[in-house]
């Protein structure tokens, strides 16, 4: 299939491009590089062994820009990663998040349908479950109250896509609810490249390990979890990338709306992750206990059996693979991609 990949220069998009080409698909990237760098696409091309990944420097809110891409290519489906994703920033700048994520998606969907491309895989998030009603979380678990505008954009876009498909059965929609993507391609050539102070645990750990930050703050050790620190379902980004290829096959079978958790089904605490990182990589990660972070929940991990049964996909890589590959990327690229 020929796939439009919005946000393809970003962390998850860049890894997914590799899995797409490995599976015999081709792709065109649409990215405004607001949180990424074209260097990631050059490196992806090098890993795949092609001269370049076709891309357009375009904002998905730019209807004319999108029209030009659709005029130049025929797409079988879109994998839609493009969006702003910093939880804290979304509380400070809600309008910007709703406008970019929801406004951009509405424009994208309109241009897609005008060109007869009605197959989409959307990057949703476990955040739509809010404080989950059950653990492990299945897809039957009701959606909850999100604690921030970023989460609401995911929840609302899920609703838009579901309603669109209900009204027009030509649409095929797959909502992939990611848990906590970490790790990097084993080559160490591409990885997560956060600007400024990382919000997420793994990039914070790797930046402490490489000497860019003094110590990790562990946000709370009084949660009702085995060691008191927050428990999450960390998933290797290469496994997650492969999940998108599996989802494309379901689209090919005309699936209607499909909702899938993308996680391993295992929960690890903050201190589990720190200890695994130190053990596998032999580097020190100083940390101290800090107060809880507003909006955090104690435990979040999924039951991933629906994706296995219906998509034939499951995560294969271990926590050791995750911490090894995260470190391999960071130590070879201490400042991320060159500007
Ligand atoms: P990322 O920031 O690395 O990638 C997102 C890409 O979208 C970037 O390249 C950015 O430049 C681009 N982009 C943003 N707004 C755009 C616009 N208006 N037009 C064109 N391009 C635009 O993030 P990621 O970690 O790769 O996440 C990809 C998707 O998965 C996002 O939608 C994110 O919300 C979702 N998600 C991520 C996580 C996570 O922990 N990384 C968890 C759940 C869901
Ligand atoms: N944590 C720390 N110190 C840090 C960063 C995080 O102790 O410096 C802890 C958090 O308190 C939490 C765990 O590490 O217990 C994971 O935190 P992350 O910020 O890495 O991830 P979250 O689970 O909070 O959020 C992530 C994504 C969201 C997404 C959510 C659910 O950032 O976009 O998973 O998928 F919505």
């Amino acid at each position: 299939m020929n796939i439009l990949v919005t946000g393809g220069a970003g962390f998850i998009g860049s890894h997914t491009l590799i899995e797409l080409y490995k599976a015999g698909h081709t792709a065109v990237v649409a990215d405004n590089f607001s949180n990424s760098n074209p260097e990631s696409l050059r490196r992806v091309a090098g890993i795949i062994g092609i001269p370049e990944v076709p891309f357009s420097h375009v904002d998905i809110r730019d209807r004319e820009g999108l029209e030009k891409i659709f005029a130049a290519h025929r797409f079988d489906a879109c994998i839609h990663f493009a969006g702003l994703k910093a939880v804290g920033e979304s509380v400070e700048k809600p309008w910007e998040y709703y406008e970019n994520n929801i406004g951009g998606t509405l424009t994208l969907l309109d241009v897609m349908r005008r060109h007869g491309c009605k197959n989409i895989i959307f990057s949703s998030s476990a955040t739509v479950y809010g404080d989950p009603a059950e653990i492990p979380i299945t897809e039957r678990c009701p959606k909850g109250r999100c604690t921030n505008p970023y989460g609401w954009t995911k929840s609302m876009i899920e609703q838009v896509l579901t309603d669109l498909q209900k009204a027009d059965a030509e649409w095929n929609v797959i909502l992939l609810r990611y848990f906590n993507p970490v790790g990097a391609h084993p080559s160490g050539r591409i990885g997560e490249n956060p600007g400024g102070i990382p919000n997420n645990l793994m990039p914070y750990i790797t930046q402490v390990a490489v000497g860019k930050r003094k110590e990790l703050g562990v946000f709370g050790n009084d949660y009702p979890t085995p060691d008191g620190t927050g428990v999450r379902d960390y998933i290797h980004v290469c496994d997650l990338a492969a999940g998108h290829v599996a989802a494309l096959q379901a689209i090919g079978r005309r699936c209607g709306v499909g909702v899938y958790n993308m996680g391993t089904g295992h929960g690890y605490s903050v201190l589990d992750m720190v200890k695994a990182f130190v053990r596998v990589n032999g580097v020190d990660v100083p940390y101290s206990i800090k107060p809880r972070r507003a909006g955090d929940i104690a435990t979040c991990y999924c039951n991933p059996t629906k994706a296995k049964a219906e998509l034939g996909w499951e995560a294969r890589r271990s926590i050791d693979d995750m911490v090894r590959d995260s470190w391999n990327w960071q130590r070879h690229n201490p400042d991320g991609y060159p500007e």
Side-chain angles (χ1 to χ4, degrees), residues 125-127 150 178-180 200-201 217 219 232 234 293 296:
S125 166
T127 196
Y150 163 74
Y178 308 160
F179 281 67
N180 290 61
N200 297 116
L201 178 64
F219 299 144
R232 295 291 183 275
Y234 296 93
R293 183 172 67 178
D296 272 356

Side-chain angles (χ1 to χ4, degrees), residues 11-12 31-32 34-36 59-60 81 85 100 150 154:
F11 172 45
I12 305 169
D31 203 304
N32 67 358
S34 58
N35 196 38
S36 57
D59 193 300
I60 57 164
F81 294 107
K85 63 162 187 177
N100 189 79
Y150 163 74
K154 294 295 173 193

Side-chain angles (χ1 to χ4, degrees), residues 260-271:
Y260 298 99
N261 288 335
M262 293 272 120
T264 65
H266 302 289
Y268 290 106
S269 74
V270 176
L271 293 181

